[in-house]
Amino acid sequence: MASFLPPTLRRFAVTTSALFGLAISTAQAADTVKIGLVTALSGQSAKSGEAISRGIGLAIDEINAKGGVLGRPLELVARDDEANPSKGVLATRELIQRVGVVAVVGGLDTPVSMAIVPIANQMKVPFIGPWAAGTGITRNGAADNYAFRVSAVDALVDEALVAYAVKTYGAKKPGMILVNNAWGESNQKGLKDALQAANLPAAGIEKYEANDVDMVPQLSRLKEAGADALFLVGNVGPSAQVVKSLDRMGWSVPVVSHWGPAGGRFGELAGPSAGKVHFIQTFTFAGNASPKASAVLDALKAKYPAIKSMADVTPAVGIANAYDATHLLALAIQAAGSTEGPKVRDGFYKIGTYPGLIKTYDTPFAPGRHDALGPNDYVFTRFKDGEIVAVTN
Amino acid sequence: MLTSILVSGLGLGLGSMYGLVALGFHVTYAVSGTVNFAQGSVVTLGAVLAYALGVTLGWPMPAAIVLALAGCALFGLVVERALVRPFVARGSDAWLLATVAGGIVLDNTMLFTFGKEPRSLPSPLATKPVEILGTGIYPLQLVIPVVGIALAFAIRTVFRRTDLGRVLLAVAQNADAARLMGIDVRRTVACAFALSAVLAGIAGLLIAPLFSVSAELGTLFGIKAFAVAILGGIGSATGVILAGLLYGLVEAGVTATLGSTYTQLVVFSVIILALTLRPDGLLGRAAVNKV
Amino acid sequence: MPYLRSAPVMRLGIAGLTAAALGLVALTAGYSHFVIALVALTTVAGVGLNVLLGLTGLISFGQAGFYAIGAYTSAILTLHGVSFWLALAAATLIAALVGGLVAVPAMRVKGPYLAMLTIAFGFIVEHGLIEGGEVTGGQNGLVVTDAPTLLGEPLAPAGLAVLAVLAAGASLAGFDLLARSRLGQAMRAVRDADVAAAALGFDPVRVKTLAFAISAALTGLAGAILPPLMLFIAPSSFPFSQSILFVLSVIVGGAGTVLGPLFGALVTVLLPEALSGLAEYRLLFFGIAALAVMWLVPSGLVGSLARLLPRGREAPAAAEAGEPLLPGTAAREALILDGVGIRFGGITAADGVDLTARPAAVTSVIGPNGAGKTTVLNLISGFYRPSAGAIRLGDRDLAGRPAHLVARAGIARTYQTTRLFGSLPVVDNVALGLAPGQLWRRARARDRKTADGLLAFVGYRGALDRPAAELPHVDRRLVEIARALAGNPAVLLLDEPAAGLSRADTDGLARLIRRIADSGVAVVLVEHDMPLVMGISDHILVMDAGRPIARGTPAEIRRDPAVLHAYLGGADTPARPRSAPWQGPADAVLSVLDLTAGYGAAPVLDGVHLDVRPGETVALLGANGAGKSTAMRALAGLLRPVAGAIVFDDQRVEALPAHRIARGGLVLVPEGRQVFPELTVVENIRLGAFGRGTPIDPAEVERLLDRFPGLRERAASRAGLLSGGEQQMLAIARGLMAHPRILLLDEPSLGLAPAMINALYATVAELRDEGITILIVDQMAALALTVADRGYVLEQGRVAARGTAAELSADKGLEAAYLGAA
């Protein structure tokens, strides 16, 4: 029959059936326990996605070397969300419904995670955020909350930022320069609350678009309003542009930043003034004396030959948070004794003590407390010669 | 006052770059009635190649720049040969999407070869701001509009005042008749695509030290440049340059007064309004058309 | 298998596909439902875009904007407790309204300008949603977790998939219906020839607005089903790239085809799904795959598949016995122009034109090229707004009314270059002319019969269902006249209907025009062919430089000295033959051996032999369609590949491209002049020297301007603004700049006034006497033979006769068959 078809028709028939087959073939035999990853693997934030994948990859290797979970090996299935919430939602559904993952690990972008969480809650599949800090991701108000996080939380970060600005720079009237997206909104609220708590006025709140190159107009307004310190929230590219714009204005003002600069080569992008920006981190390899840190770094270098120096692990938070998150997830599955979503969710609450890379966790999760890290885990850092180093007061 | 000077400094700078890339759209459109929608990606390509050769491989910058532009020209030729000509020859409009797809492929190829994280192209003109009228500005920001406008007017002069320019116009107006004049139409169109790509590459090199070099540098830039080309009247070089400057100023002005959140909203509304009032662009004119 | 294209088969096919998709929903679960629903929704949106792109020929890169409007309307309403089904209707309606609004600016722009305008619209919607505050949820978007209910039962993803599939099936069927309906044909008519559509009474503004509204409504409907399916929508769900994907899916599937959007949706939705495992490499491979599909099937999947199907049966026109009568009776009203004038910029194109066209009479307007004859027709038919005077039909004043209203008032017309709706079958071209301007008329079987009758009346004998673009020249003229008659007009305006017709065809045309007038129509004829004009006119108006200079019966006009001076010129001083017979070298500068060439399967030229010797002038003659112009194009290299040999200057050139041949000195002055319209006269002339590769001596240009004084006067004006005669002189001047070894003249007298033709042939004789080698093709065979030394007669692509000019002129048989009396 097929041979009667003209070549074009035949080619077409073959392609369509192949496409259909690919699209609707459901999960294969479930001999591995699959973990989904939805993060930006392309575009501006691709480097962060790579860091998260590496952290998970390393943890999975360690877990599998010890026999996996429930006697089955773990397997990572990664999807690119292109930093687009809708793509993230699509990918999450595909991972849950077609691939059949046990849990979904999120990425760098708060807007994407905010979009995924309701889906995870509805489908009763745990979501673990290793990076995005938007407060609402874990504190989402859902009765049945499946969102966990091993990362910073904006509300807490903002309190820390305000405290740091007051303590280090004696700020009395700080201004905000925030990216215009869900992450910026989350911090706008957090910073406002934190300032209110500290009984400080805000000199102004300015926003910029992620691809802006000139923030002088916004910064000029803050300067005219008498800002004596700046809170900066944004990814590495625009954060660097803020620093350059400050340079051009000749305005030397203390900048206390969320952890955006850690996402790339901030030192190179922002130029000589990069070191003036102090930003928050949950983890650094540099200056970290713990044996666990050096062991993980060595393992990373062994597994990913592309890593040669400390500068290649600049988004260390991504690696560290994802590494710990994966181990905690494995413990939760083990504790649940099952791969069913609700049971794994409850498994998180049953985790006891786990000596992780960032710290030793002790019952990190409980109902109503879905964030494993808190203010005590934050450190302030800055760029020095292309590496992130802790600020020593 | 202070702000307005600053705004016009950067507005004119970016505006002249939009104009330069838009001139690339103009050149190919004038000659072949087609455009390369991967123009934005070529902006990136220029910057990325210069970075890779000049910084990563450590070549002397002049050599890196020349080779980067040659690379852009080559890409322009490939686009014409592989993504435009096959479709135009069959009377299909699919070149439109083929060049878009070509841009996607180029962007992602750069992403995986150049690297995922944004870099900074060093430039001696963009390290220390100079103070002009109480405002800090990089020397490069002064150089950009000068180079951009000079280049744009040079091209316009070639088109309008030389026999070579008339050859290009002749090809555009009636390709068959141009063949009868002994003009190699294929080569002319290919050259137009190469030139168009080089213009985009120059824009990429000039703006790279201000922006960060990443695989996404040119995407939005390309769309804006297309808007500029249309706004000016894609058949008019002068119109395209003026529209570029105007666009840059309006964009900077809106950002300064309303904040950058409203920039796109306002600018694109202005475009629709402008096209409603002048359907052939600022300086475009309706072709001679007899019923 | 012609029935494969018929309406019932298409409907059955769509029903079958819908049933198959529903079956697939029943057989699968979970994520597959989601994918099937996405394919279906993309199909619905694609059908919407297809109405714009495929039917109306308008591009939109802003469809994601309508998609977003539909999605947000539905999401916001359901979040506020409105029923999903009500929200669905509201979303469709609001999208349609916005579509109609977008059409307002979109109407005024074309091509890339329209592309940009729609891109801007998409961005405005996206950023508007971002800044929409509480209502739209800003960047964070809206989470829609409540499933819609049907009869109290919540619609599971499976239910939504079924809904989407049904919507897709309905939209495909709707498109099929639309494409076959009068509105759909009006859309294609506006796309193919908007001017002609307006002159048939179709308001292009209304048609395009409807197209935008329908397109937006469908895309909005698709968007409205999206929120409960995705559970989440945000501005980032509707980026510019989504608009590009929609266009890609329609083009890949096949624009204008019914099933194209379905196949396109399969590719654009399933391909990324299939590539999702590639994670970060997905976009790269998607780009490559999209390119591959475009390379493999450039006219779209369905378009390429359809080519494999046999074409529909080509029913010939009803060949009734005897002379069929014009159906219907025209309203007997006179058209009166009273002091009509118009100025363009500073130029007066027409001034003080009085004209009365009476029912049942032929009123002709003649005059030299550029006299303003076509301008008068354009004023009457509403393309130009007169700056002075009145145009009345009966007691209605039509001056300044838009073309579609003029048409509906009962004025129909044809064009110098025919403006048929190329993609529509012949019979539909004519049927569209019935009931001018009605968009909602049901296509009745009677319409086809009426159209058939009209085609028989004008003498069209070709196939009824052939696309008009494929017709030969004579048939185009006839079909255009039939289309103009279909609206049962009171007045018929004919603009140079005989241009390019042979003598025999022109005689047939004369009889047709007379019969039309006899049926009661007031015919206004603009024409250069004097035998035709003098033979059938009841009244003649002569114009020169925009003003009437004489009026009267043919007999009066023939004797009017002013007319003789301005127009007929030295009609009695025919082109000058060579004073002494040509004697020169016998070695040909151009030899054609066994030349075979054509455009498709059947060769137009079949084994042609001819020689031209240096200094000789040779005429190439033959009836319409004999292959004369094809031969010229083949010689000049514009038509490739060709079989046989073309030896020019002892070199084989049959494989060389046109520009190489031109550089060698074989210079063609092409049919229709082909000057560069936007360049000035002098720039055009200078370009002629490009191929010779030697510098231009300014004195040379001066000498040419001396030779063509008409060009000197307009040296700095754009060539496109010149009259036909001036353009012909310019084309010859441009050709001379190349220092031709041989000059090929293709139909130089086409469309020229008699005085102009005489001036032209005087020039050709001069060039000949200066020793330039000339090969000339002209419909005016007798005239061409006057200046020529030798001639060839082509018949159906073969050389039927050859000889000296005198021998050929003397051959009465040949004259009757091919040449006609000039």
Side-chain angles (χ1 to χ4, degrees), chain A residues 156-355:
Chain A
L156 304 179
V157 167
D158 294 332
E159 282 169 21
L161 292 181
V162 170
Y164 187 82
V166 170
K167 195 180 107 211
T168 314
Y169 300 113
K172 293 192 168 53
K173 198 181 176 192
M176 304 176 204
I177 177 105
L178 317 169
V179 65
N180 184 28
N181 69 14
W183 190 32
E185 274 171 35
S186 161
N187 282 289
Q188 183 178 345
K189 187 174 178 303
L191 284 168
K192 262 182 170 169
D193 293 351
L195 283 176
Q196 205 167 18
N199 214 3
L200 285 178
I205 301 167
E206 291 289 339
K207 302 222 173 161
Y208 59 84
E209 293 298 308
N211 41 29
D212 280 0
V213 282
D214 184 32
M215 283 72 161
V216 171
Q218 291 95 325
L219 292 170
S220 298
R221 282 195 286 270
L222 290 176
K223 189 180 183 187
E224 278 159 30
D228 56 1
L230 294 183
F231 295 123
L232 168 64
V233 177
N235 287 348
V236 58
S239 291
Q241 293 297 350
V242 167
V243 173
K244 281 182 158 182
S245 295
L246 284 173
D247 262 4
R248 283 204 297 279
M249 290 169 66
W251 185 23
S252 154
V253 63
V255 180
V256 181
S257 171
H258 208 309
W259 60 12
R265 296 174 183 255
F266 185 68
E268 182 182 311
L269 295 173
S273 303
K276 291 184 193 160
V277 177
H278 291 192
F279 56 93
I280 205 161
Q281 292 282 272
T282 52
F283 180 81
T284 62
F285 280 110
N288 195 324
S290 84
K292 179 98 182 174
S294 47
V296 167
L297 190 58
D298 289 342
L300 273 173
K301 282 180 182 168
K303 184 168 164 68
Y304 303 103
I307 299 177
K308 294 196 173 62
S309 69
M310 291 289 232
D312 293 319
V313 285
T314 38
V317 280
I319 298 177
N321 292 356
Y323 175 87
D324 278 356
T326 310
H327 275 290
L328 289 171
L329 171 63
L331 290 174
I333 298 172
Q334 205 68 51
S338 155
T339 57
E340 283 166 44
K343 289 188 178 154
V344 176
R345 194 262 310 260
D346 293 340
F348 274 102
Y349 302 144
K350 294 180 193 153
I351 300 171
T353 307
Y354 159 64

Side-chain angles (χ1 to χ4, degrees), chain C residues 246-378:
Chain C
F246 282 140
V247 179
L248 182 75
S249 86
V250 172
I251 295 221
V252 160
T257 61
V258 177
L259 295 179
L262 169 64
F263 285 82
L266 284 170
V267 172
T268 49
V269 175
L270 294 190
L271 193 59
E273 286 298 329
L275 296 177
S276 66
L278 294 170
E280 67 259 50
Y281 297 100
R282 186 172 85 164
L283 270 178
L284 179 64
F285 281 88
F286 181 70
I288 293 172
L291 277 177
V293 173
M294 282 187 264
W295 275 320
L296 289 175
V297 283
S299 43
L301 290 168
V302 174
S304 301
L305 283 175
R307 242 179 245 151
L308 305 172
L309 294 178
R311 286 277 289 269
R313 182 170 39 94
E314 299 214 326
E320 290 168 29
E323 299 259 283
L325 291 173
L326 185 57
T329 40
R332 294 182 163 259
E333 284 180 311
L335 173 74
I336 298 166
L337 273 67
D338 188 2
V340 171
I342 184 172
R343 296 170 62 84
F344 296 115
I347 303 159
T348 304
D351 186 24
V353 178
D354 297 326
L355 175 80
T356 303
R358 294 197 175 76
V362 176
T363 309
S364 292
V365 183
I366 62 171
N369 297 94
K373 306 181 297 291
T374 299
T375 305
V376 170
L377 292 194
N378 287 344

Side-chain angles (χ1 to χ4, degrees), chain A residues 109-127:
Chain A
D109 298 287
T110 293
V112 181
S113 296
M114 295 286 274
I116 293 177
V117 165
I119 307 289
N121 282 342
Q122 201 195 27
M123 299 192 173
K124 301 192 189 302
V125 173
F127 170 90

Side-chain angles (χ1 to χ4, degrees), chain B residues 163-188:
Chain B
D163 280 340
L164 173 70
R166 288 192 196 104
V167 165
L168 295 175
L169 294 178
V171 168
Q173 289 168 30
N174 190 331
D176 264 1
R179 282 189 188 96
L180 295 176
M181 302 297 110
I183 297 168
D184 189 340
V185 170
R186 276 191 177 188
R187 188 189 292 176
T188 311

Side-chain angles (χ1 to χ4, degrees), chain B residues 122 178 246 283:
Chain B
L246 205 65
L283 295 186

